[in-house]
């Protein structure tokens, strides 16, 4: 493919993507395939001779699309949103075209510097404390990680390094292994499973703290755990607070937890993967109160801020906490400006070496939507979630299981877990809408998350009508069995 054909095929691909997104609600949101469906439809090995673009595009529709879960369908209400917008798609195209690998400033200065500025822009949009920003002579700053799971792991490893150094400075006879064996990290019993996985990778003990009636960790729970573990000879060193838990979008009490972490030299990392985007709206900014006590903070614009995956933004108060933990400096990566203090090399802020030009997506989206446009988008989703909540409350057969704060509604039929499991199975088997469950205090709960950029009230109303129809059929069948 030369440049001439690329121009032609590029236009065709843009048309295909635009058509796909414009007509996506006509497709079944959830695929009707079984594991292994794809292999019989493609050859056992790569072709020896070139094939035509037209044939490949036909196979996309024939082979790939039947196995796609359509995350951007307005009938997709599962998990949490994953962002998608035309400005971000165009920026991703440009990033792929430039094709730089921005591990150092010298490897592509614009890739590094635009990322630094975009993280300052976004930090100001959510009113982060200035200590998290890189502008002027700040000690903090932001970086784009691949996912919130990566951000938590980076924070955990940096905290581990600080804890080892502190313990060895107090007792020079301790080996690194001695200290790691005594380290203990904390998180919520509602936290994402990735926090536990990060603890396994880091080789440290991780303990889940009990939550209150609103599924939030309180200061008293952390204080009790810290005191007990210190008395047992352990070293508390890391706490991952969650703002907007995966299960039910609950919010840990940072204003209670933060002072304890600061007093005990515990690194507090705040994971706001989903909810963080809402903090650009002044009416939701109070949910971030207490972040001033944190050492690091992260959320995913690729969830709810119209910046396509992957783009997980992370800030630290002291960037040397990361660079000291991850700095490896072979001669082939050194350059003349790395010690100038004017720039940063993001290879020291992350686990991989290479990195794409992801900040272009933020730059395009922020400029083409503006802060006001992004605020309107967030508010629309929150309004639709409350519309669904009101529908649930009007039906005595159902109950709401957690506070509805942003764009997630947790609900269930009044009755057994088995009844609700059957309802969810029937909902997803119909493939008209898609939901996933969670478990709250032993209850099997259905999650209704407002996700798609194009979702409207009509789609929410359709979803509720469909759910109640299936619920009625299920209850009728159960009554006949009884």
């Amino acid at each position: 493919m030369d440049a001439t054909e690329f121009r032609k095929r590029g236009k065709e691909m843009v048309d295909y993507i635009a058509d796909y997104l414009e007509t996506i609600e006509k497709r079944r949101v959830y695929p009707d395939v079984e594991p292994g469906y794809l292999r019989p439809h493609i050859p056992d090995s790569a072709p020896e001779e070139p094939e035509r673009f037209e044939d490949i595009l036909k196979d996309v529709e024939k082979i790939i699309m039947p196995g796609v879960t359509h995350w951007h369908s307005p009938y997709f209400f599962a998990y949490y949103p994953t962002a998608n917008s035309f400005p971000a798609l165009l920026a991703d195209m440009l990033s792929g075209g430039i094709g730089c690998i921005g591990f150092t400033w010298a490897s592509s200065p614009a890739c590094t510097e635009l990322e630094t500025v975009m993280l300052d822009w976004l930090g100001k949009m959510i009113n982060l404390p200035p200590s998290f920003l890189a502008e002027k002579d700040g000690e903090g700053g932001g970086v784009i990680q691949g996912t919130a799971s990566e951000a938590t792991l980076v924070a955990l490893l940096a905290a581990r390094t600080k804890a080892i150094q502190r313990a060895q400075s107090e007792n020079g006879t301790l080996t690194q292994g001695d200290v790691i064996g005594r380290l203990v990290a904390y998180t919520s019993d509602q936290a994402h499973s990735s926090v536990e996985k990060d603890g396994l990778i880091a080789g440290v003990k991780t303990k889940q703290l009990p939550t209150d009636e609103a599924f939030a960790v309180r200061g008293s729970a952390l204080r009790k755990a810290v005191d007990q573990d210190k008395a047992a000879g352990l070293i508390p060193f890391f706490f991952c607070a969650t703002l907007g838990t995966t299960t039910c979008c609950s919010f840990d009490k940072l204003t209670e937890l933060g002072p304890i972490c600061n007093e005990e030299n515990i690194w507090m990392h705040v994971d706001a993967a989903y909810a963080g985007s809402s903090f650009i709206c002044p009416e939701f900014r109070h949910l971030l109160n207490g972040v001033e006590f944190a050492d690091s903070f992260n959320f995913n614009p690729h969830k709810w801020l119209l910046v396509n995956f992957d783009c997980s933004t992370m800030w630290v108060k002291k960037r040397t906490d990361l660079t000291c933990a991850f700095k490896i400096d072979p001669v082939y990566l050194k350059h003349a400006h790395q010690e100038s203090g004017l720039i940063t090399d993001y290879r020291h802020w992350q686990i991989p070496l290479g990195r794409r030009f992801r900040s272009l997506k933020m730059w395009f989206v922020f400029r083409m939507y503006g802060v006001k446009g992004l605020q309107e988008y967030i508010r629309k989703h929150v309004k639709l979630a409350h519309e669904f909540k009101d529908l649930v409350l009007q039906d005595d057969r159902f109950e709401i299981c957690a506070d509805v704060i942003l764009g997630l509604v947790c609900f269930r039929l009044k009755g057994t877990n088995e009844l609700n499991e059957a309802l969810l199975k029937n909902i997803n088997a119909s493939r008209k809408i898609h939901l996933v469950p969670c478990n709250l205090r032993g209850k099997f709960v259905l999650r209704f998350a407002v996700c798609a950029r194009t979702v409207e009230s009509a789609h929410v109303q359709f979803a509720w009508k469909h759910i109640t129809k299936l619920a009625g059929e299920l209850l009728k069948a159960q009554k006949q069995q009884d």
Side-chain angles (χ1 to χ4, degrees), residues 273-289:
Y274 162 68
S277 297
S278 72
F279 303 154
I280 67 171
C281 299
E283 64 268 32
F284 301 126
R285 174 55 179 79
H286 70 278
L287 297 169
L288 187 57
N289 288 350

Side-chain angles (χ1 to χ4, degrees), residues 18 25 28 40 49 128-129 175 179 226 245 258 298 307 341 346 353 355 387 444 448 450 461:
E25 66 179 276
R28 287 287 181 95
E49 300 295 332
L128 270 185
T175 66
V179 180
V226 168
T245 57
N298 163 253
V307 179
Y346 278 124
L353 174 63
R355 53 205 336 274
E387 178 180 336
F444 186 89
F448 185 93
V450 180
Q461 295 287 336

Side-chain angles (χ1 to χ4, degrees), residues 249-284:
C249 199
S250 57
F251 291 77
D252 292 339
K253 302 297 183 182
L254 299 189
T255 53
E256 298 178 12
L257 300 160
I260 297 172
C261 289
N262 291 178
E263 177 187 340
E264 298 288 348
N265 281 321
I266 296 172
W267 180 303
M268 185 165 80
H269 175 70
V270 178
D271 173 7
Y274 162 68
S277 297
S278 72
F279 303 154
I280 67 171
C281 299
E283 64 268 32
F284 301 126

Side-chain angles (χ1 to χ4, degrees), residues 342-382:
L342 299 175
I343 54 92
T344 189
D345 284 343
Y346 278 124
R347 63 191 172 98
H348 302 313
W349 296 54
Q350 61 178 28
I351 294 169
L353 174 63
R355 53 205 336 274
R356 298 186 300 111
F357 203 162
R358 292 175 289 200
S359 57
L360 284 170
K361 294 183 289 190
M362 299 173 69
W363 195 43
F364 275 44
V365 169
F366 295 168
R367 294 182 68 182
M368 296 191 73
Y369 278 91
V371 176
K372 290 184 178 179
L374 294 170
Q375 289 171 335
E376 290 173 2
Y377 176 69
I378 296 292
R379 287 167 179 150
K380 174 186 174 183
H381 275 202
V382 175

Side-chain angles (χ1 to χ4, degrees), residues 9-27:
R9 302 310 186 187
K11 292 181 177 67
E12 291 173 5
M13 182 57 75
V14 167
D15 284 342
Y16 181 85
I17 294 170
D19 289 343
Y20 166 71
L21 291 172
E22 279 193 328
T23 62
I24 194 170
E25 66 179 276
K26 296 179 181 178
R27 299 176 184 261

